[in-house]
Amino acid sequence: MHYPNMDSIILAPLRSCSYMAVLSTLRPSNKLLQILFILLILRTRLITLPKDSFERLRDATAGKRLSAAELTAVLQQIYIKERDGSKTLLVPYRNRLAKVSIHDTAADILASNAKHFPLQSSDSQKSKGLLDPKFVRALRALLFHIAIPSWKSKEAFILAVHSFFLVARTVLSVAVARLDGIIVRDLVRADARGFLRGLGLWFALAVPSTYTNVMIKHLQSTLALRIRTRLTRYIHDLYLSKYPDLRYYRLGLGVGAKRDLSGEGQDTGNAGSIEGVDQYITADIEAWAEGVSGLYGNLMKPTLDLVLFTSQLSRSLGLRGTILLFGTYYATVRILKAVTPAFGKLSAVEAKLEGDYRAGMGRLGREGEEIAFYDGGARERDILTRAYMNLIRHVNSVYKIRIAYEWTEDYVIKYLWSAAGYGLIAVPLLFTRRRRPAAQFGSNPGSSLSASSDGNEVIASRTETYISNRRLLLSLADAGGRLMYAYKDVLELAGVTERLYSLVSSLYAVKPVSTGSNFPSSSGDITNNIIGLEHVDIGTPAQGTSLNESHILSDSAESVHVKSQSVLIRDLSLWLREGSGEHLMITGSNGVGKTAIARVLAGLWGPSNENGKVFRPQSLMVVPQRVYMPVGTLLDQVIYPDSYADFLEKDMSIEPRGGGSGNNIRDILESVFLSYLPEREGGWSTRKEWRDVLSGGEKQRMAMARVFYHRPKFAILDECTSAVSSDVEGRMYQHARSLGITLITISLRPSLMKYHTQVLNVLGDDTGRWTLAHIGQDAVLTPMAEAEGDEGELWLGFNKEIASLERTLRKVDGWDKRLKELNTLLKT
């Protein structure tokens, strides 16, 4: 291994030896100046030498450095699939490779925890502190079913070790208080040997005490990080669920708005209202993990201090001092409880406003180009400024509310407790112990020395008691203060707990879309070869349609399930079978529900009627008009949603290899006329913001490349070639048909009709009517034929139009002959 400063490191001792030889010939004064001069020259090496030595030692023990090619491969691969179903995440760090094992949350665990997270309404009239059974239930569900799932988990072990150090810190505090009194007692006695012995014990206790303090902070931070990781992974597994759950999509359909559970037209809270999920998963989880881990130490340590310190003080305070001590406790609690604001609600509102402002900034980053086209910077600035000012006004109001509370809190904790401490210290000195009368010391002349010695002993004993009790009282006041501060932390934690519980309960409340009855079991796997609808009403889902009603816990007996607001298409029936050569084109004017059909077939929406049936095969791919470009390399854009590990499992290659064609990414890009992209963008491993790099037509062709890569049995193409030229569009459709993919196309382009065998026309006349025609046949399938009359036939006169075009084409030869005659006459 080569080091750039190796020459200077080797020559530095030689140069130092030559300098020393020169120094031996100089006088002492000149030697001193020369030494200073040499130190100035070598000051850089003297400073950096320890760092360089540490780096060399770390390089020798940390393992092999990754080369540029290996680093690129690691960034491409991301993770390795293990045999047990887990994944090993590859994390490059300082040009080295770190491996992290990732285990997905088991499906049975997710299902079993659902009963612990019922939806609960939020009552605006409840206590200002939010310390009610609902908060306790929410905290227990999050803490003992997600954050610390069992006592055998690593989080439980860290918590046990943290508890040990908290107990050790309290025991050491008592020992330090006693030792403090002993040292002062020996000092008053003028006992040098005892004083030095006490100092030795003081330094000995300092070692475990400082180590305990450091470990408490370290374990608290580690526990917070572990809880955050556990909660984040759990919510990721729940939120980013696969079909048929798709909670990340359906959460906004059914749980995205507030619901009136009271029946009086008043908002009862935000139960199930989820807006700005990114704020919940990022900032709220972090705040909750920090709050829970810190709250445990801030509650257990002061509580243990109060118990131990009170028991120690009661021995010297007596009955009156103990009663006064508990009276101080009671008065402090009553005063602070009377002046404590609703920190839980204030914290929840602040988190919501912070999420609104963050969502606005994220929207501006995602839609920057569209906003720039409209020159909408001023308008977006107003929107963001309004969201920011709402947040600032709320934060300022919280600061104003805290003035009175913090003033009272500081007064009680600092001054009331200090005054009570002085009173408690005075109890054993003024009331419990009595001065010994002078007669007890004797009346003989030789008794003066004994009296003086006994007097010093009494003073030393009182001093020891005073110092020890004062140290314990100071620690007790600190514990009481931290306990009072912890009460405020509990209230703030309640607000974050309510938000996180509402997120998890709402995710559990989202139910999969019903597809109606399925084929009889005797048909076997026939459902995977057929896509279709049978007597399905298609409409836009209303708020509440994706909620699981049996999962809602509310005091109201009214149902919160809301039916679809409007039906776009009624009684729709269509069938397509794999390998039959049938392809469907869906047409109609804008806004009539063409894309809604695709959503129902894809399983995103359910039928609006109960007796409708949806037959969805497993091998289905939907390509929307707006192409999604994920974060990653150029290869990732083609194979999405597959990962690189999935790509390797399919035994495909990037470049062509011996054998057949089409089983590599290069040929796939060739089929969509994008084979120039790797050379233009810098290779397959290039990482860019592809949403901005590729043009609209290139992104749509990339979406078709994904279809050719996955080769599904059925593909729904929703205006996915609107930005592609007609000739390229036709070749891609021909290639898709040659791969055996059954196409369902949503488009208004008549040129695409020749690639399909059926045409579904949605009339869009607010009656939900539709017609289904087979191109080249006279039959038109429609459930409303008797209501359509002649007008309906005119709407769907595709066959008549085809016959008219054929008659026109027969006249082409005559027109061409006439054109030649006219050209001949013009030449003459």
Side-chain angles (χ1 to χ4, degrees), residues 400-691:
K400 294 178 181 178
I401 292 174
R402 285 184 174 180
I403 292 176
Y405 172 77
E406 292 181 355
W407 178 85
T408 306
E409 186 180 47
D410 289 344
Y411 183 83
V412 171
I413 298 300
K414 292 182 179 180
Y415 298 99
L416 179 61
W417 276 69
S418 297
Y422 284 116
L424 293 174
I425 293 174
V427 168
L429 299 178
L430 300 179
F431 300 99
T432 305
R433 299 186 179 184
R434 297 179 180 178
R435 296 183 178 181
R436 297 172 61 184
Q440 293 181 1
F441 297 107
S443 56
N444 54 358
S447 64
S448 60
L449 181 60
S450 177
S452 176
S453 177
D454 291 341
N456 291 335
E457 185 65 27
V458 171
I459 295 175
S461 177
R462 290 182 176 180
T463 303
E464 177 188 358
T465 303
Y466 171 79
I467 295 299
S468 299
N469 290 347
R470 178 171 176 77
R471 171 71 70 140
L472 290 175
L473 283 171
L474 290 176
S475 301
L476 190 63
D478 180 67
R482 284 187 285 117
L483 199 60
M484 295 301 105
Y485 290 133
Y487 176 70
K488 180 181 65 175
D489 295 337
V490 170
L491 300 182
E492 293 179 350
L493 178 65
V496 185
T497 302
E498 183 185 28
R499 283 175 56 84
L500 279 184
Y501 181 87
S502 66
L503 172 64
V504 179
S505 60
S506 298
L507 289 175
Y508 273 116
V510 175
K511 63 179 181 180
V513 170
S514 174
T515 57
S517 302
N518 212 326
F519 285 105
S521 57
S522 60
S523 60
D525 296 334
I526 193 174
T527 55
N528 290 328
N529 300 325
I530 288 180
I531 185 173
L533 304 174
E534 183 176 339
H535 304 293
V536 172
D537 290 347
I538 296 178
T540 57
Q543 301 293 343
T545 56
S546 62
L547 279 178
N548 190 347
E549 296 177 29
S550 62
H551 194 73
I552 297 177
L553 177 64
S554 174
D555 298 334
S556 174
E558 298 184 7
S559 173
V560 299
H561 187 80
V562 184
K563 297 297 182 182
S564 295
Q565 295 177 347
S566 61
V567 176
L568 301 174
I569 305 172
R570 297 185 182 276
D571 198 22
L572 178 60
S573 298
L574 57 90
W575 298 90
L576 287 177
R577 186 186 298 272
E578 179 198 5
S580 63
E582 295 289 321
H583 305 276
L584 174 65
M585 180 175 177
I586 303 175
T587 185
S589 58
N590 293 328
V592 297
K594 302 187 298 297
T595 303
I597 299 176
R599 293 188 178 114
V600 173
L601 289 173
L604 303 185
W605 292 2
S608 297
N609 56 332
E610 296 181 355
N611 58 347
K613 300 178 183 178
V614 180
F615 304 98
R616 180 187 184 276
Q618 294 181 356
S619 181
L620 172 65
M621 189 171 185
V622 182
V623 184
Q625 181 179 13
R626 185 177 178 180
V627 184
Y628 172 68
M629 309 302 292
V631 176
T633 63
L634 178 60
L635 178 63
D636 293 331
Q637 310 310 309
V638 182
I639 67 177
Y640 184 82
D642 280 359
S643 64
Y644 187 73
D646 299 326
F647 168 73
L648 295 178
E649 289 181 356
K650 291 186 175 181
D651 194 25
M652 294 187 66
S653 62
I654 297 178
E655 298 293 343
R657 56 189 177 184
S661 62
N663 199 29
N664 59 84
I665 306 300
R666 175 70 71 173
D667 289 344
I668 291 176
L669 289 187
E670 187 74 36
S671 64
V672 295
F673 305 92
L674 290 177
S675 59
Y676 57 86
L677 278 182
E679 287 73 21
R680 189 189 77 179
E681 302 300 336
W684 297 100
S685 301
T686 303
R687 292 177 175 269
K688 293 183 179 180
E689 190 65 39
W690 300 106
R691 180 187 61 183

Side-chain angles (χ1 to χ4, degrees), residues 86-142:
S86 63
K87 299 176 183 178
T88 300
L89 190 64
L90 306 178
V91 183
Y93 179 70
R94 292 184 177 180
N95 293 330
R96 288 181 175 82
L97 185 62
K99 297 183 179 180
V100 180
S101 181
I102 303 295
H103 296 270
D104 295 337
T105 306
D108 55 345
I109 295 179
L110 293 176
S112 61
N113 286 343
K115 61 180 179 293
H116 302 293
F117 293 93
L119 277 178
Q120 55 187 15
S121 61
S122 177
D123 188 6
S124 60
Q125 301 298 325
K126 63 184 177 180
S127 63
K128 63 181 180 179
L130 296 178
L131 295 177
D132 56 3
K134 289 183 179 180
F135 164 65
V136 175
R137 181 168 56 247
L139 182 62
R140 184 174 63 247
L142 291 172

Side-chain angles (χ1 to χ4, degrees), residues 117-313:
F117 293 93
L119 277 178
Q120 55 187 15
S121 61
S122 177
D123 188 6
S124 60
Q125 301 298 325
K126 63 184 177 180
S127 63
K128 63 181 180 179
L130 296 178
L131 295 177
D132 56 3
K134 289 183 179 180
F135 164 65
V136 175
R137 181 168 56 247
L139 182 62
R140 184 174 63 247
L142 291 172
L143 190 60
F144 296 112
H145 295 286
I146 300 180
I148 307 178
S150 68
W151 295 110
K152 297 180 181 179
S153 61
K154 293 183 179 180
E155 292 79 9
F157 175 74
I158 295 174
L159 189 64
V161 177
H162 189 207
S163 303
F164 168 77
F165 279 101
L166 289 175
V167 174
R169 184 70 185 93
T170 301
V171 174
L172 289 172
S173 298
V174 175
V176 168
R178 294 304 182 192
L179 182 59
D180 194 11
I182 293 173
I183 291 175
V184 176
R185 181 200 63 188
D186 293 336
L187 186 61
V188 172
R189 286 178 177 177
D191 186 357
R193 181 177 298 178
F195 177 73
L196 293 177
R197 183 172 58 251
L199 285 181
L201 293 175
W202 181 272
F203 285 112
L205 279 178
V207 175
S209 298
T210 53
Y211 180 75
T212 301
N213 292 333
V214 172
M215 288 303 299
I216 287 175
K217 295 179 181 178
H218 171 71
L219 292 172
Q220 179 176 326
S221 301
T222 304
L223 181 62
L225 189 60
R226 292 288 307 183
I227 290 177
R228 181 185 179 183
T229 302
R230 176 82 67 172
L231 194 60
T232 300
R233 290 182 180 177
Y234 187 93
I235 293 181
H236 279 181
D237 294 336
L238 191 64
Y239 179 62
L240 301 172
S241 54
K242 298 181 180 180
Y243 181 85
D245 294 317
L246 300 177
R247 293 184 178 93
Y248 59 90
Y249 174 79
R250 298 198 180 103
L251 185 64
L253 295 180
V255 204
K258 297 181 180 180
R259 303 185 304 278
D260 181 13
L261 303 179
S262 63
E264 301 176 357
Q266 298 178 355
D267 177 28
T268 58
N270 62 342
S273 177
I274 304 298
E275 297 177 359
V277 180
D278 55 344
Q279 177 73 12
Y280 285 80
I281 299 179
T282 55
D284 288 349
I285 288 181
E286 180 184 8
W288 190 83
E290 294 287 346
V292 168
S293 60
L295 185 64
Y296 175 73
N298 293 336
L299 283 179
M300 179 181 175
K301 178 66 167 58
T303 303
L304 188 61
D305 289 348
L306 287 175
V307 174
L308 293 182
F309 294 161
T310 302
S311 63
Q312 292 292 324
L313 285 171

Side-chain angles (χ1 to χ4, degrees), residues 361-375:
M361 294 298 298
R363 183 184 66 252
L364 183 62
R366 291 190 305 270
E367 312 295 339
E369 183 176 356
E370 290 79 0
I371 295 173
F373 280 140
Y374 287 106
D375 193 16

